[in-house]
Each structure stands twice: as C-alpha cells, then as structure tokens.
C-alpha cells in the first residue's frame, strides 16, 4: 500500500499495474463494493473495451467500476489528459479546457505529497461502502444499533468509528485523523446535494464547525469532484462522463459558497440561492425566460430544475408546464416545502435521491414519444414529491432537517416496466421512513465547539 501513496509511482505507473495494486491493498473494501447498489440509465450501452472490474474480477460490478474510474480520473487530471477526461461527453455540455485547468490547479494545490494522496485515495475507495446493505447489518450485529435508514455517507462514518473498514486503520495517525474529519464532513454535508438543490439551506449550518480544518474540507471537495467524475463509470469507464461543464461550474460555485459560509461571510439562504441563480442564468443564456429567485414560484421551479439537472430550454419548459399544471393543493404544498429553509419553527425535508427519481421518470420514457407522455410521467413524480416533502406532525421545537430517502422507489417503481405503462403508479407509492439529520441541539453543540 505504501507504494500506492507515492505520487511519482501513482501518477506514472501503468494502469493495469495500478489496478492490481489497488485490488490487493483494498481487497475487503472492493468485496463490499461488489454488493453495493447503483442506479443505471436503462437506455445506455457500455463501451466495447474491458472495464476495470472485468480486468480485476472477470465480471462487471457497477460500484467497483465507478470507484476505480474516480481513481483513474485523478491520474487523467494530474497527467493533463484532457482528451481522455472529456472522452464521450456530449459536445453541447463538454467540460471546457479552461475549467479542466481550474480542476488541475486546485488538485495540485491541495494534494501536495504522499500524506494527502493517502487520505484522498482511501476516501475514494471507501466512499460508497455504505451502499452495501451488509455494512449496516454488520454494524447492528456489532453495536445493537439499527442505522439502515441513514444515508450511505452517515452509515460509512459510523462504521469507520467502529473500526469496521480495515484500510483506514493502516494509515498513519495524522492521515487517519484527517480522513475521519473528511468522512465527518461528508456525513453532515454533501456537495452534490447542494449543486442539485436537493438539500435545504439549513444543511449549510453543519459546515461551520470545520473552520479550523479547511485543508480537510478541501480534500473532501477534491474527493467529491472525483466522485462525480466516476459517477457514470459503471456505464462508460473510458472517461469522466458526468463531470460536464454546467455541473462543474455548479461545483465551483458550491466550493465558493462553502468557503464563505465556513468563514461566516455568507448567510445560509444567500449562499444556497447562488446555486439557484446559476441555474436561472444558465438557462436564460440559452433562451429560457428569466426566473427570479426572490419570487417563491420561480424559486420552487428553480429547485426542481436543479434537482432534474435541467440544462436545456426545452426540458426546462417541460418542467415549467408540468409544475403549473398541478392541482392547486399540490402546487401549494410544493411552493411551501421547496421554499422552506429549515428551522425549529418550520422544518425542511431533504428528499435524498429525488434527482435520480426525476431524471429516471423523464428519461425512462422513449425519446420518440410525445411531450405529453413525458409530462404525465413528470406530473406523477411531482405529485409524489409533494407527499415526500410533507411533514404531518407539528414542529417539536428541535427538528430542523428531516431526510427521506427515495432510492427504493427509484429502483422498484420508476425503473420498473409498469411505470412506463402507467406513471400514476408512483402517486400511491409509500413515503419512505424519515430520519432526523439536523436538530437545534446539533447547532448548539456546533456553536459550543467554536467557543
């Protein structure tokens, strides 16, 4: 493992040699990743070349491929392999050379030696272990606590605290401490969820205790960029398919927001709304009408456009038409809940994996079929979202953020054959169990930690 963490070796070794060393060094972690869940674009077909997991294990394992493509993406960045990095990205949204250079400079600034590389590589290799259901069940057997309803980042952080991830305990003490802080940041805050407006403004509150360890936050940001770079690695392992220009610009904006929030120079809603303003500007530059983040109707629509990763005017028009066609009571619910910041007086819901649900709902419909068919599918998805976002109980004076994870709904309903035939099946689907992820006590503890 020591050789892996030497920059001169890591960045110059032959790809096959590097993959074999990763297989040996992270054997238990890769075995867990073989069991981890993933979400596929059902219309995609993979390259004809052998995937990393086919090379190592003779078969395709989605999360193994995603993880290893993230590792390879780090090499493409360092070695200035722009053409490989952008590969088969669609030309209309392809990452620009200028933005690629921004990534290269940021990685070089924050990965300055073997210690940083050890933390980063380990973070990449273990990032998705929480997607293996047996990790939560093993944790319950070990501790008696059921964490299966937590998000996969929180599951991983708790498992690491119980020394259930072998590779971490082989790190040097300072490296291990830095990695634990990285995982703690990830368990409390997710850059991707901010970029997609999936979380709520109050989620930014959880970043403030990390003002005294900014280097760790930067390492986590680099890991998050690489995670996105490998996000489609189970469908195309030849490039960083998902890290396209609009998404990376969202990452850069989010990075600036996080830094300014941590420093206390930016308010939570003001920071959060910069993500929405970016989406509005992106679409307006392409001909879509101007949207005002200060208007509740426009702001709610912008959150939906972010969650749907909408970057083209025609798709934005579909979302807008569908949103305005909802029953008055459903629209009122979405207007209220999508504009909730999260407080003890008005808790907010984080609909985890809702971006995947919206994307799958629209894109599971054959492109050759008419607008109205896609609109009906999105209509059912938004009606379901309204139910997910609704909190029936009165505020308890402590809860600020509630998380509801719709992953099982994506896998079992939206990706199922019945949804294409009758999208309304989604409207009666169960609302997932809720998990409280931010409370008044958490903020008080954070404030005390800064005193």
């Amino acid at each position: 493992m020591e050789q892996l963490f030497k920059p001169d070796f890591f960045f110059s070794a032959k790809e096959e040699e590097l993959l074999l060393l990763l297989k040996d060094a992270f054997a238990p972690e890769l075995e867990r990743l073989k069991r981890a869940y993933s979400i596929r674009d059902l219309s995609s077909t993979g390259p004809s070349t052998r995937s990393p997991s086919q090379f190592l294990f003779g078969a395709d394992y989605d999360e193994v491929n995603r993880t290893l493509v993230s590792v390879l993406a780090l090499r493409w960045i360092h070695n200035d392999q722009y053409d490989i990095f952008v590969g088969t990205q669609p030309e209309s949204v392809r990452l620009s050379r200028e933005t690629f250079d921004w990534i290269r400079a940021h990685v070089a600034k924050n990965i300055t030696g073997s210690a940083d590389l050890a933390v980063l590589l380990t973070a990449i290799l273990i990032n998705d272990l929480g997607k293996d259901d047996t990790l939560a069940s093993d944790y319950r057997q070990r501790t008696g606590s059921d964490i299966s309803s937590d998000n996969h980042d929180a599951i991983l952080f708790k498992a690491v605290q119980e020394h259930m991830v072998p590779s971490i305990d082989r790190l040097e003490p300072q490296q291990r401490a830095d990695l634990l802080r990285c995982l703690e940041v990830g368990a409390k805050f997710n850059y991707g969820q901010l970029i997609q407006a999936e979380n709520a403004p109050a989620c930014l509150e959880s970043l403030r205790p990390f003002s005294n360890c900014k280097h760790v936050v930067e390492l986590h940001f680099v890991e998050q960029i690489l995670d996105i770079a490998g996000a489609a690695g189970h469908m195309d392992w030849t490039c960083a398919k998902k890290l396209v220009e609009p998404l990376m610009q969202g990452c850069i904006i989010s990075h600036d927001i996080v830094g300014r929030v941590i420093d206390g120079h930016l308010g939570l809603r003001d920071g959060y709304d910069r993500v929405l303003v970016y989406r509005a500007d992106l679409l307006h530059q392409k001909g879509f009408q101007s949207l005002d983040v200060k208007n509740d109707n426009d702001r709610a629509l912008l959150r939906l456009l972010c969650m749907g990763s909408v970057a083209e005017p025609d798709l934005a028009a579909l979302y807008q038409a569908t949103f305005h066609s909802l029953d008055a009571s459903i629209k009122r619910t979405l207007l209220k809940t999508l504009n909730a910041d999260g407080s003890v007086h008005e808790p907010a819901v984080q609909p985890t994996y809702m971006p995947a649900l919206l994307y799958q709902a629209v894109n599971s419909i054959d492109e050759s079929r008419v607008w109205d068919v896609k609109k009906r599918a999105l209509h059912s998805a938004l009606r379901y979202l309204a139910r997910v976002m609704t909190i029936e109980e009165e505020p308890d004076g402590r809860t600020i953020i509630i998380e509801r994870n719709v992953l099982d709904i994506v896998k079992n309903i939206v990706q199922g054959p019945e949804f294409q035939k009758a999208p309304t099946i989604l409207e009666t689907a169960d609302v997932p169990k809720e998990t409280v992820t931010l409370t008044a006590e958490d903020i008080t503890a954070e404030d005390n930690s800064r005193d």
Side-chain angles (χ1 to χ4, degrees):
M1 180 178 283
E2 198 171 307
Q3 188 177 20
L4 269 175
F5 299 153
K6 293 179 179 178
D8 288 346
F9 172 81
F10 175 81
F11 292 116
S12 63
K14 291 183 178 179
E15 185 174 300
E16 293 81 2
E17 181 183 6
L18 184 71
L19 290 174
L20 289 169
L21 284 173
L22 288 168
K23 178 184 178 182
D24 290 340
F26 293 93
E29 289 78 12
L30 290 171
E31 284 303 311
R32 282 202 182 276
L33 287 174
K34 288 182 182 180
R35 299 191 293 265
Y37 60 78
S38 65
I39 298 176
R40 279 181 164 262
D41 182 345
L42 299 179
S43 63
S44 72
T45 55
S48 58
T49 58
R50 185 170 54 172
S51 72
S53 76
Q54 285 174 333
F55 169 68
L56 292 180
F57 302 109
D60 270 323
Y61 297 100
D62 284 359
E63 287 303 319
V64 172
N65 280 327
R66 288 175 57 148
T67 296
L68 295 178
V69 170
S70 292
V71 174
L72 296 177
L74 176 59
R75 283 163 47 100
W76 299 332
I77 291 167
H78 177 87
N79 295 330
D80 199 14
Q81 295 174 295
Y82 171 74
D83 290 339
I84 294 177
F85 194 90
V86 298
T88 60
Q89 290 181 359
E91 186 174 355
S92 62
V93 292
R94 183 172 299 158
L95 188 79
S96 70
R97 176 74 220 202
E98 181 181 13
T99 304
F100 182 73
D101 287 342
W102 186 96
I103 298 171
R104 292 194 72 230
H106 194 79
V107 170
K109 179 182 177 181
N110 290 286
I111 310 300
T112 59
S114 296
D116 291 334
L117 185 59
V119 174
L120 179 60
L121 279 181
T122 306
I124 294 170
L125 266 295
I126 70 173
N127 179 58
D128 287 327
L129 295 187
K131 295 180 179 180
D132 169 21
D133 291 339
T134 66
L135 188 61
S137 60
D138 290 347
Y139 182 91
R140 182 174 184 175
Q141 186 174 14
R142 185 170 184 146
T143 68
S145 297
D146 183 4
I147 60 172
S148 59
S149 62
D150 289 1
N151 65 62
H152 73 267
D153 291 316
I155 290 172
L156 172 62
F157 181 55
K158 291 175 182 177
V160 165
Q161 289 178 305
E162 286 294 320
H163 301 276
M164 296 175 63
V165 180
S167 60
I168 294 181
D169 291 325
R170 296 200 297 266
L171 297 175
E172 296 295 326
Q174 186 58 54
Q175 295 170 5
R176 186 177 188 279
D178 286 348
L179 182 57
L180 284 171
R181 288 296 266 170
C182 281
L183 296 176
E184 185 180 5
V185 175
K188 293 183 176 182
F189 175 81
N190 186 295
Y191 278 96
Q193 290 170 349
L194 175 62
I195 295 163
Q196 297 176 118
E198 181 181 357
N199 55 19
C203 292
L204 287 162
E205 187 78 53
S206 61
L207 288 165
R208 287 180 168 156
F210 297 99
S211 60
N212 61 347
C213 52
K214 291 180 182 177
H215 182 59
V216 166
V217 176
E218 293 292 357
L219 286 175
H220 177 66
F221 176 67
V222 171
E223 187 270 323
Q224 289 284 282
I225 291 175
L226 295 170
D227 183 58
I228 298 170
H234 56 317
M235 297 179 290
D236 186 345
W237 41 86
T238 64
C239 67
K241 183 86 170 186
K242 286 287 186 182
L243 196 60
V244 293
E245 183 70 17
L247 185 51
M248 187 58 215
Q249 287 300 322
C251 291
I252 293 171
I253 290 169
S254 298
H255 175 262
D256 182 61
I257 292 167
V258 165
R260 294 177 66 191
V261 167
I262 288 175
D263 288 340
H265 297 152
L266 190 63
L268 304 184
R269 177 174 269 233
D270 288 342
Y272 189 92
D273 282 359
R274 288 188 60 197
V275 173
L276 305 183
V277 169
Y278 166 69
R279 184 67 49 172
D281 290 346
L282 172 70
L283 290 167
H284 187 55
Q285 289 167 12
K286 295 185 177 183
F288 193 68
Q289 72 179 72
S290 179
L291 296 173
D292 182 5
V293 76
K294 301 299 182 184
N295 178 287
D296 282 355
N297 275 279
D298 286 359
R299 190 175 185 279
L301 176 60
L302 281 166
R303 278 200 68 185
L304 294 175
L305 295 174
C306 286
M307 279 195 268
S309 298
V310 177
E312 298 298 332
D314 55 347
L315 186 55
L318 173 67
Y319 269 75
Q320 183 180 51
T322 306
F323 180 57
H324 291 310
S325 72
L326 293 168
D327 298 342
S329 61
I330 300 295
K331 188 176 178 183
R332 277 196 303 272
T333 296
L334 288 175
L335 281 173
K336 178 182 178 182
T337 57
L338 290 172
N339 281 295
D341 289 352
S343 70
V344 293
H345 305 294
E346 188 180 18
V349 174
Q350 176 177 302
T352 303
Y353 279 102
M354 186 55 66
L357 189 150
L358 293 174
Y359 179 87
Q360 294 284 336
V362 173
N363 289 280
S364 66
I365 306 300
D366 192 305
E367 287 292 334
S368 66
R369 299 174 72 180
V370 295
W371 164 291
D372 283 347
V373 178
K374 289 182 178 289
K375 185 177 177 182
R376 284 198 294 272
L378 183 58
H379 189 274
S380 291
L382 295 185
R383 287 178 62 88
Y384 179 67
L385 173 61
R387 293 173 56 215
V388 171
M389 297 293 284
T390 299
I391 302 174
E392 300 289 354
E393 299 83 7
E394 290 294 317
D396 59 12
R398 61 180 295 275
T399 299
I400 295 174
I401 298 289
I402 287 171
E403 181 178 5
R404 289 188 176 134
N405 190 328
V406 301
L407 176 64
D408 285 344
I409 304 300
V410 177
K411 294 192 296 185
N412 299 327
I413 295 180
V414 178
Q415 289 194 322
E418 293 302 315
F419 179 79
Q420 285 206 35
K421 298 176 186 175
T424 53
I425 189 175
L426 180 59
E427 298 178 30
T428 57
D430 291 339
V431 171
K433 178 182 176 182
E434 65 186 44
T435 302
V436 176
T437 58
L438 185 67
T439 68
E441 291 90 340
D442 294 330
I443 293 176
T444 301
E446 291 165 4
D447 288 338
N448 289 339
S449 73
R450 296 194 295 271
D451 292 340

